[in-house]
Amino acid sequence: MIVYPKSAPEKLGFDVLARRIEGHVRSRLGQERLEQWRPVDDLETLQDMLRRTAEMQDALRFDDAVPLDGILDVREPLRRARPKKAVLPGEDLAAVGVVLNTIQRLRQYVDARRSKYPALYTVAVELQPAPDLAGRIERAIDERGEVMDSASPELRRLRKEIVRRQNSLRDSVLGALRKAVSQGYATEEQPTIRNGRMVIPVRAEAKRKVQGFVHDSSATGQTVYIEPAVSLDLNNEVRELEIAERHEVQRILGALTAGVRTHADALLVSLDVLGHIDLIQAKARIGAQTDALVPDLNTAGRLSINEGRNPVLALHFQELNESASNLDSQAAPRSKPREVTPLDLQLGTDYHALVITGPNAGGKSVAMKTAGLFCLMVRYGLPIPCRPGTSIPLVDKLFVDIGDEQSIEDDLSTFSSHVVRLRHMVKHADANTLILIDEAGTGTDPEEGGALAQAALEAFAEVDARVIVTTHHGGLKAFAHETPAVENGSMQFDPDTLSPTYRFQAGIPGSSYAFEIATRMKLPNPVVARARELVGEQTSALEDLIAQFEARTAELERQLDESQRAEREAKQTQQKYEDLRQKLNENRDEIEAKALAQAEAIVKGANSRIERTVREIKEAEAEREATQLARERMEQFKQSVVNRKKKVDRKRTRTPKASKPKPKAQNGAPPRGPIEVGDQVVLDNGSATGEVMTIEGKEAEVAFGAMRSRVKLKRLTKVAGPRRQQVQIRTASSVSKGRPQLRGLRARPSIDVRGQRVDEAISSVTQLLDDAVVANLETVRILHGKGTGALRLAIQEHLAASPDVASFDEAHPEHGGAGVTEVRLLGA
């Protein structure tokens, strides 16, 4: 990417972002990466860079802390560890240990989130942990670089022995010192160390009175330091142990250095990766601060910004708002936080050049700089503050003419510097160039400057370059209006308050509002009136027309915003009610499924009763055909319930679809006429066919197999008329000559089990329930008494597990209270 002039990034504000990123870099490794930072031309590489930064941005904002502490530059220690017999000091080994720990933790962090951060993984996968070496260093070297006792068993032994001998030596020296003091040879002082040996201070005149070796004397010569003869051997032993300790420490450092030497090449690779990740996290922090995201990239020269926000301005406003929030509210009332006005801008599709006009300080330059800055940021792998739908072109050249470039040395005036840059642009522009010109045609005669700017725009149009210019020249407004590839644009301005709104609008030229602002600033009216005369009525009328057009457009946009907001609210309300309808349908299906499940439980309970009934029928020597017929009817009823339940389950599990068409009659045509008794119908959009048994008002009783249900007529759909009756003639031998009498089925409404054992009472209750169900009783009462409550509890546990029981509770106090349990049976 060619950027012209060299000061272009600074003109666009990219230097501010670079300084912010530098402030977030944690290491020298990341700093070097930043110094080598260059724009990237390859599309695939750019997309990878942007994805990595965006993934790191998400990790920093929404995930566990990224382990980035401990990125140290240990390349010099690695270099010094290369020689075979080299020994690194403890400080260097401690630094290497910190780096190894960071490598291991960072690799584990990214490995655990490989599917979440795939682009980051492609970088972190190059990290080469050395857990064995890291563990050895951690056990041997503390954070200050000191070798710890845990480095080796021998070192621990030597240090313990040194402490023990030093204690013995101190006791010996203290004894000699007390003796010398008692004899008047020494003062009341503590022993000290001279030349690595423990000695006592003795007066110089008495040095021959104390047996021992003189090691040193004081600066005044009045005191000499003598090693007592009785302590000589102990001092020697301590010295020997200290020498052995130093040798062991050197051996440990040498062994650790050898391990570092073995992993040096892998460590250098990992250090390069750490520097890369350090720069990525610094870029991601700027992205997180500005709420940036990765835009779409294109090579077609299409610039489409959706709610873009200038990051330099956003960071500046953040600082201002933070400073304001830190002020004492009593000393200075808090002002409203400042925010960047979003920018929507298109270029390179319907038109390739954009002429932005409007008053000073209205945001023209910021809009133009934002477009250029976005193009530059993506080339450096930086996400941009915008919304989805933004597309940034990968232009090969970025030409910028913003601000003064006067040069006394080169004898360049303001206008001359503009011409120099314009000359370069015209000469080198092509279809893959983005050109930004601020205040085109200024610095010279207005008419000539405007003509020169228009000629340059025409030259850029010939090579199909993308151009954004800001200007006050009315001629350029007309040129943009008349030229197909060029479009007008302006920044909205509130004519009532004469203040900018900083909102960009395409297709509309902007008024400079010079006369209005001059009047608002109390410039004498005669002066303003004379200025209007000098400009000319036609030009003044054009400016007034543009101002009126802007005001009308602003009002239309306000109305459009209101209508769009109302539409969004209506859609939200519609979705809310649609969700509610779906939930109600699901609840209905769930209730029906529960009912069918309950019915299935009833059938299961009924099966056991039928088996007992059949057994008693057999004992009564009834006809076998009657028994078989009863079984078949019960099995058909059971199967119909099971099938219905399966249909409901399938309906609940499948995705809701459009409503089924109403069922048709068997001959394909929908039956006509009102629903009458005997007609075949379906309920709602179901598939099960039922028969209308009775009709009362707006409700009907419908039989679905063995089940009957009362529903509203409007929920029923007629699918066929009455079924043809089939009459079956049985011979006399096929019917029982008499209805069999079932023994033991006299249903009792209550039972007294007081005084019975638990098993006897449970058996009696079971018989009571069976008889009551067969007799179709609604409730029964069990008199068990109060007592200790054990019998009542056992009976109620049995009732809770019974499939025939709908509910039970203790009786009213007038009817026995806690001594009686009233039971309500299913089907009642």
Side-chain angles (χ1 to χ4, degrees):
M1 183 180 189
I2 299 173
V3 179
Y4 172 85
K6 291 182 179 180
S7 60
E10 181 180 351
K11 298 290 185 182
L12 297 175
F14 187 79
D15 60 318
V16 175
L17 299 180
R19 286 195 299 270
R20 294 296 187 100
I21 292 171
E22 184 178 10
H24 289 297
V25 169
R26 293 170 172 257
S27 68
R28 176 60 192 164
L29 300 168
Q31 181 66 36
E32 289 181 1
R33 277 273 183 171
L34 181 60
E35 292 170 357
Q36 300 166 4
W37 204 20
R38 298 291 183 273
V40 176
D41 294 330
D42 181 65
L43 176 59
E44 185 176 352
T45 304
L46 266 180
Q47 289 173 333
D48 288 341
M49 290 174 61
L50 287 165
R51 280 195 292 266
R52 290 166 191 157
T53 306
E55 289 176 1
M56 178 65 78
Q57 185 176 316
D58 289 343
L60 293 174
R61 295 176 69 184
F62 309 118
D63 212 325
D64 296 333
V66 184
L68 294 171
D69 295 329
I71 302 180
L72 306 177
D73 184 4
V74 293
R75 289 174 295 184
E76 176 58 23
L78 292 180
R79 184 190 64 80
R80 288 190 277 104
R82 290 288 187 180
K84 188 173 183 180
K85 294 184 179 181
V87 178
L88 292 176
E91 295 85 351
D92 288 346
L93 289 170
V96 172
V98 169
V99 172
L100 287 171
N101 185 261
T102 300
I103 292 170
Q104 185 169 340
R105 289 188 297 119
L106 187 56
R107 178 63 186 272
Q108 290 173 346
Y109 181 93
V110 179
D111 281 352
R113 297 161 175 80
R114 178 175 181 178
S115 59
K116 193 174 182 180
Y117 307 131
L120 268 181
Y121 176 80
T122 61
V123 176
V125 73
E126 299 296 329
L127 291 170
Q128 302 182 35
D132 292 341
L133 178 59
R136 288 169 55 197
I137 294 177
E138 184 177 5
R139 290 189 297 271
I141 311 294
D142 63 17
E143 58 185 10
R144 297 169 301 174
E146 300 291 337
V147 180
M148 298 185 293
D149 295 352
S150 56
S152 74
E154 177 63 13
L155 182 61
R156 182 183 291 106
R157 185 192 69 79
L158 287 171
R159 286 181 173 172
K160 285 184 178 180
E161 187 64 20
I162 288 173
V163 171
R164 190 178 68 82
R165 294 303 176 93
Q166 283 177 338
N167 290 335
S168 299
L169 175 61
R170 185 173 182 81
D171 292 342
S172 175
V173 172
L174 281 173
L177 179 59
R178 284 193 292 268
K179 182 179 179 181
V181 169
S182 65
Q183 294 174 344
Y185 301 149
T187 60
E188 287 289 347
E189 296 184 19
Q190 290 293 322
T192 186
I193 302 294
R194 287 293 185 272
N195 299 324
R197 303 179 76 85
M198 193 171 290
V199 296
I200 61 175
V202 178
R203 292 190 178 93
E205 61 272 16
K207 64 181 179 181
R208 299 189 184 280
K209 304 290 186 178
V210 178
Q211 292 184 354
F213 300 92
V214 177
H215 281 274
D216 200 358
S217 62
S218 65
T220 62
Q222 296 180 358
T223 302
V224 295
Y225 298 97
I226 298 177
E227 178 185 1
V230 295
S231 305
L232 178 63
D233 290 341
L234 286 173
N235 253 325
N236 288 339
E237 291 176 3
V238 169
R239 292 284 288 173
E240 289 174 359
L241 287 171
E242 289 175 345
I243 292 172
E245 178 200 15
R246 286 198 296 273
H247 288 164
E248 179 64 10
V249 167
Q250 285 297 106
R251 184 194 69 78
I252 292 170
L253 294 177
L256 293 176
T257 302
V260 172
R261 185 183 307 117
T262 301
H263 293 85
D265 292 336
L267 270 169
L268 286 174
V269 173
S270 296
L271 287 173
D272 185 61
V273 175
L274 288 179
H276 189 184
I277 293 177
D278 190 12
L279 179 58
I280 292 174
Q281 68 85 22
K283 294 191 297 182
R285 292 185 187 278
I286 295 297
Q289 282 183 271
T290 57
D291 195 22
L293 56 79
V294 177
D296 297 329
L297 304 180
N298 70 84
T299 57
R302 186 180 69 260
L303 176 65
S304 178
I305 300 177
N306 181 17
E307 293 191 26
R309 298 172 306 283
N310 188 288
V312 177
L313 201 56
L315 293 171
H316 177 63
F317 284 170
Q318 285 179 13
E319 291 181 349
L320 291 179
N321 295 334
E322 289 173 3
S323 299
S325 64
N326 292 331
L327 292 176
D328 186 356
S329 58
Q330 296 180 354
R334 184 175 299 178
S335 59
K336 183 180 179 181
R338 299 188 63 182
E339 297 180 351
V340 180
T341 302
L343 171 68
D344 293 323
L345 187 146
Q346 307 288 328
L347 184 69
T349 303
D350 297 330
Y351 47 87
H352 293 173
L354 183 62
V355 177
I356 305 178
T357 52
N360 289 323
K364 302 189 302 295
S365 297
V366 173
M368 180 183 65
K369 289 181 178 180
T370 301
L373 183 58
F374 280 2
C375 290
L376 196 58
M377 288 174 66
V378 296
R379 284 304 185 102
Y380 280 87
L382 285 174
I384 60 178
C386 64
R387 288 292 172 262
T390 298
S391 184
I392 303 299
L394 298 183
V395 294
D396 292 336
K397 301 171 186 177
L398 178 60
F399 295 160
V400 175
D401 182 10
I402 299 175
D404 271 343
E405 292 288 346
Q406 297 185 70
S407 174
I408 297 177
E409 293 81 1
D410 296 335
D411 192 25
L412 288 177
S413 65
T414 299
F415 178 69
S416 299
S417 64
H418 286 305
V419 172
V420 168
R421 291 196 292 274
L422 197 59
R423 179 187 63 193
H424 180 90
M425 295 175 181
V426 171
K427 182 178 181 179
H428 298 284
D430 57 27
N432 207 13
T433 303
L434 176 61
I435 301 171
L436 308 176
I437 303 176
D438 194 27
E439 300 295 349
T442 59
T444 187
D445 177 80
E447 292 187 4
E448 294 178 354
L452 191 60
Q454 179 176 330
L457 285 176
E458 292 174 351
F460 296 146
E462 290 180 0
V463 295
D464 205 21
R466 275 52 174 172
V467 186
I468 302 177
V469 301
T470 67
T471 186
H472 287 283
H473 286 286
L476 291 181
K477 300 177 189 178
F479 169 73
H481 178 71
E482 297 169 354
T483 307
V486 185
E487 182 63 279
N488 271 306
S490 61
M491 308 304 295
Q492 288 182 355
F493 201 75
D494 189 337
D496 297 328
T497 62
L498 294 182
S499 58
T501 65
Y502 304 108
R503 291 193 176 277
F504 174 79
Q505 51 188 0
I508 303 172
S511 171
S512 296
Y513 287 94
F515 299 141
E516 290 81 0
I517 294 175
T519 301
R520 189 66 174 266
M521 300 300 293
K522 307 297 185 184
L523 190 66
N525 290 335
V527 176
V528 177
R530 176 57 179 159
R532 288 183 180 273
E533 292 178 3
L534 293 173
V535 169
E537 293 182 0
Q538 186 175 1
T539 303
S540 180
L542 177 61
E543 289 293 318
D544 291 341
L545 182 62
I546 290 175
Q548 293 174 12
F549 190 54
E550 285 181 338
R552 184 174 301 176
T553 302
E555 175 63 20
L556 290 175
E557 289 187 352
R558 185 190 64 79
Q559 295 177 4
L560 178 61
D561 289 341
E562 291 181 356
S563 64
Q564 289 175 342
R565 182 171 61 255
E567 182 183 5
R568 288 194 298 270
E569 292 175 354
K571 288 182 178 179
Q572 291 173 357
T573 303
Q574 180 183 5
Q575 184 62 43
K576 177 181 177 181
Y577 283 107
E578 181 64 26
D579 295 342
L580 181 60
R581 185 190 65 79
Q582 183 177 348
K583 186 175 181 180
L584 289 174
N585 288 338
E586 292 174 354
N587 289 343
R588 183 193 64 191
D589 293 342
E590 185 175 355
I591 292 171
E592 186 177 0
K594 288 181 179 179
L596 291 174
Q598 192 176 50
E600 186 177 1
I602 295 173
V603 171
K604 290 180 180 178
N607 278 341
S608 61
R609 292 196 298 272
I610 290 298
E611 293 296 335
R612 289 197 298 271
T613 303
V614 170
R615 186 167 57 252
E616 293 183 357
I617 290 174
K618 289 181 178 179
E619 293 174 358
E621 298 179 354
E623 290 286 343
R624 180 172 300 178
E625 183 179 352
T627 303
Q628 182 65 26
L629 181 61
R631 269 187 180 170
E632 289 175 356
R633 288 178 177 174
M634 181 56 67
E635 186 61 31
Q636 289 174 359
F637 172 65
K638 175 183 175 183
Q639 190 61 40
S640 68
V641 174
V642 171
N643 293 340
R644 183 84 182 278
K645 182 174 183 298
K646 288 181 179 180
K647 291 180 180 178
V648 173
D649 288 340
R650 287 197 297 271
K651 181 178 178 183
R652 292 181 60 207
T653 55
R654 67 172 177 259
T655 304
K657 298 180 180 178
S659 299
K660 295 180 181 178
K662 293 289 184 180
K664 295 184 179 180
Q666 296 176 358
N667 60 5
R672 298 180 180 180
I675 296 176
E676 298 177 350
V677 174
D679 286 345
Q680 305 303 304
V681 295
V682 294
L683 178 63
D684 295 332
N685 291 327
S687 58
T689 303
E691 181 178 351
V692 178
M693 308 303 296
T694 62
I695 297 177
E696 295 181 6
K698 296 182 178 181
E699 293 186 344
E701 183 180 11
V702 184
F704 294 96
M707 297 182 63
R708 295 196 176 195
S709 178
R710 181 168 293 276
V711 297
K712 293 185 179 298
L713 282 171
K714 64 181 181 180
R715 295 182 58 190
L716 299 175
T717 302
K718 184 176 180 179
V719 296
R723 289 178 178 173
R724 295 178 59 186
Q725 300 295 322
Q726 295 181 355
V727 179
Q728 182 177 357
I729 306 297
R730 296 187 181 181
T731 63
S733 61
S734 65
V735 217
S736 174
K737 295 182 179 180
R739 187 181 299 270
Q741 300 294 322
L742 304 182
R743 298 191 304 247
L745 293 184
R746 291 180 181 178
R748 294 172 292 169
S750 63
I751 189 173
D752 186 352
V753 295
R754 287 177 297 180
Q756 296 184 7
R757 295 194 306 273
V758 171
D759 54 347
E760 293 175 345
I762 295 299
S763 177
S764 299
V765 169
T766 301
Q767 186 63 47
L768 172 71
L769 296 177
D770 289 346
D771 293 347
V773 169
V774 173
N776 200 25
L777 295 183
E778 294 184 356
T779 60
V780 294
R781 302 172 75 249
I782 303 172
L783 176 61
H784 44 65
K786 297 180 182 179
T788 62
L791 182 59
R792 178 184 62 203
L793 180 61
I795 290 174
Q796 291 181 352
E797 288 179 352
H798 177 69
L799 293 174
S802 173
D804 300 321
V805 176
S807 63
F808 61 86
D809 200 354
E810 65 179 35
H812 191 274
E814 296 180 355
H815 299 117
V820 177
T821 296
E822 293 184 345
V823 184
R824 188 172 185 275
L825 301 175
L826 284 172

